[in-house]
Amino acid sequence: MLDEHWGYITDVTRQQRLEQAILRVVKPEDVVADVGCGAGILGLLCLRAGAGFVHGIDSTAILEVARETFLRAGWSQRIQLHRAKSQQVSLPERVDVLICDHVGYFGFDYGIVEFFTDARRRFLKPGGQMIPSKINLQLAPVESPACVALVDKWAQENVPPEYRWVRQYGVSTKHAVHLKKDEILGEPVDLGSIDFRDDHPDFFSWQAELVVRRDGQFHGLGGWFDCELTQGVWMTNSPIAEHPIDRSQVFLPISEPVSVFRGEKIRAKIMARPTDSVIMWEVEFVASGRKFSHSTWQGMLLSADELVQQSPMHIPMLSDKGRARLLVLGYCDGLRTAKQIESAVLRDHPNLFPSAAETTRFVAQVLAGDTH
Ligand SMILES: C[S@@+](CC[C@H](N)C(=O)[O-])C[C@H]1O[C@@H](n2cnc3c(N)ncnc32)[C@H](O)[C@@H]1O
């Protein structure tokens, strides 16, 4: 986790663009919500720019780095940190500015639509500002042996033959890659745009026509974003940009390479349900009529039981683990200590798990997750 956040903080281009946007948007004494604040860098830049108060929200332990950093830098009186999913947080006031960098490799694929829409509705004052304000999605045809190697990993010689079928999951996966300029087979096209100031349906469907610029092998689609932080300030992870931020792009493969020629047209359709991370992609080669269709849904490792559970008509029954959880929580009476609860569970239910060590671990886990 520290490595991930080190990556964000040391990305000079990202930092410069976000700081530029903050200096344009944040006014003296503004109240800011930094949603998915990580180590707190965006909130810190807002305070330096004159913000009066920052609410930092993050669901992970990196928030403790933010807390200590604000304390050491002398800002602790001007921040309040909330450790939870932002959708579960209530703020004591509405804010002037919402900020986040939750922009995925393909812009929408890291939950920003749901996350930022909820924050706009519940945290932002009418007329408040949002950084970022919008993303434009870009798509291009890709020829990349490196991407193919990633997709075909499970079909390699050194994989025991019995396992090579697992390649089919690789084909139905959105891969995070670092595309090189010369791997782009044709001009990128605008696929669609998402303005965070507007409401959106749960399901997106975009279409584009790609034109191949040189003869080659089509291996799949490359996707990335142009993100408007505020009017006139943009950041991108485009592999052909002069100054991209340090963020992967997505590669959406097709099941086998297809030879293409200069000037050939390829129709692409991308459908996405960002709330449950499902992306579908269809590719049609106009000249030959060949079509490919893939979906990350086909790449999910779901058991038959899990599939049944997805049905809204499924009647849920408590599992053994669910019963065990209820039992542990039943001992939380506001008087017993964690140690007393653990002892009571071990005494009254010696066979809850195959070993006492596992029961102890489970009790600690339930108490950490469901109590405060
Ligand atoms: C891409 S990082 C950006 C961190 C920081 N804002 C920065 O610019 O360096 C996104 C952060 O959002 C947090 N996050 C993701 N989903 C969240 C949610 N639903 N509620 C709160 N935090 C979330 C992650 O834990 C992660 O720290």
Side-chain angles (χ1 to χ4, degrees):
M1 188 184 290
L2 282 175
D3 284 353
E4 179 192 340
H5 289 275
W6 179 88
Y8 300 132
I9 283 177
T10 56
D11 182 341
V12 176
T13 305
R14 184 191 90 114
Q15 206 82 341
Q16 280 172 350
R17 299 293 158 87
L18 282 159
E19 186 160 19
Q20 211 181 339
I22 287 167
L23 290 171
R24 284 196 190 183
V25 168
V26 174
K27 295 186 295 304
E29 297 311 312
D30 269 357
V31 179
V32 175
D34 180 0
V35 197
C37 67
I41 182 68
L42 304 182
L44 184 71
L45 294 174
C46 290
L47 286 168
R48 283 201 206 143
F53 200 84
V54 171
H55 291 278
I57 307 168
D58 204 286
S59 49
T60 67
I62 195 67
L63 199 71
E64 300 316 314
V65 170
R67 196 184 307 284
E68 185 64 22
T69 304
F70 285 118
L71 183 70
R72 288 172 184 240
W75 291 112
S76 54
Q77 299 303 310
R78 292 193 181 214
I79 56 136
Q80 188 178 356
L81 296 176
H82 310 258
R83 179 151 169 201
K85 282 184 71 173
S86 64
Q87 294 94 323
Q88 294 170 1
V89 168
S90 296
L91 293 183
E93 59 191 328
R94 288 213 173 230
V95 304
D96 304 287
V97 179
L98 272 183
I99 189 164
C100 82
D101 176 10
H102 208 55
V103 186
Y105 305 139
F106 203 0
F108 65 87
D109 55 327
Y110 195 31
I112 190 168
V113 180
E114 184 191 8
F115 172 92
F116 225 27
T117 302
D118 171 71
R120 169 170 57 77
R121 288 186 186 147
R122 297 191 304 111
F123 301 158
L124 192 62
K125 284 180 186 167
Q129 301 282 313
M130 297 176 78
I131 305 173
S133 45
K134 146 171 126 175
I135 43 174
N136 295 337
L137 311 180
Q138 299 249 292
L139 199 69
V142 166
E143 175 180 55
S144 166
C147 290
V148 171
L150 201 62
V151 173
D152 285 350
K153 222 155 60 177
W154 279 89
Q156 281 169 0
E157 286 277 294
N158 54 352
V159 172
E162 292 85 345
Y163 288 94
R164 295 194 191 148
W165 67 271
V166 179
R167 175 189 180 266
Q168 73 191 49
Y169 286 106
V171 176
S172 306
T173 296
K174 172 198 82 170
H175 296 270
V177 294
H178 272 102
L179 293 169
K180 298 188 193 72
K181 277 184 190 164
D182 62 3
E183 293 177 324
I184 309 300
L185 266 179
E187 287 301 309
V189 297
D190 286 329
L191 181 66
S193 182
I194 302 174
D195 193 320
F196 300 120
R197 295 160 293 194
D198 300 332
D199 286 334
H200 296 282
D202 294 342
F203 184 78
F204 291 98
S205 177
W206 301 286
Q207 295 189 52
E209 190 167 86
L210 309 169
V211 180
V212 175
R213 286 288 168 230
R214 63 171 166 82
D215 295 356
Q217 295 287 306
F218 177 94
H219 291 142
L221 299 164
W224 54 85
F225 62 81
D226 269 339
C227 173
E228 185 187 57
L229 295 170
T230 192
Q231 209 177 6
V233 185
W234 292 77
M235 70 176 189
T236 180
N237 63 339
S238 164
I240 57 168
E242 287 266 311
H243 300 290
I245 64 166
D246 184 13
R247 192 160 301 173
S248 305
Q249 301 86 38
V250 296
F251 175 67
L252 304 172
I254 59 169
S255 53
E256 59 185 271
V258 172
S259 297
V260 288
F261 54 87
R262 187 169 190 270
E264 179 169 351
K265 292 197 171 118
I266 299 169
R267 286 197 195 112
K269 188 169 177 187
I270 307 280
M271 289 158 284
R273 200 191 297 277
T275 35
D276 38 50
S277 307
V278 175
I279 305 180
M280 288 151 273
W281 57 103
E282 286 174 10
V283 175
E284 182 185 354
F285 296 85
V286 176
S288 66
R290 285 191 79 182
K291 286 184 188 169
F292 293 83
S293 177
H294 299 287
S295 155
T296 53
W297 173 250
Q298 296 158 332
M300 288 182 189
L301 299 174
L302 290 172
S303 69
D305 282 353
E306 284 167 324
L307 273 175
V308 170
Q309 277 178 16
Q310 306 278 327
S311 160
M313 300 315 289
H314 172 66
I315 298 173
M317 303 291 288
L318 267 187
S319 62
D320 288 348
K321 206 161 164 193
R323 261 190 293 279
R325 179 176 291 275
L326 275 184
L327 191 146
V328 172
L329 292 174
Y331 285 95
C332 300
D333 55 3
L335 299 170
R336 287 187 176 94
T337 63
K339 187 71 208 158
Q340 286 169 333
I341 293 171
E342 182 196 310
S343 306
V345 174
L346 284 168
R347 181 194 63 224
D348 300 344
H349 306 279
N351 300 322
L352 191 60
F353 286 98
S355 70
E358 192 47 38
T359 301
T360 300
R361 213 181 341 262
F362 182 76
V363 170
Q365 229 173 40
V366 173
L367 296 183
D370 293 341
T371 67
H372 59 81

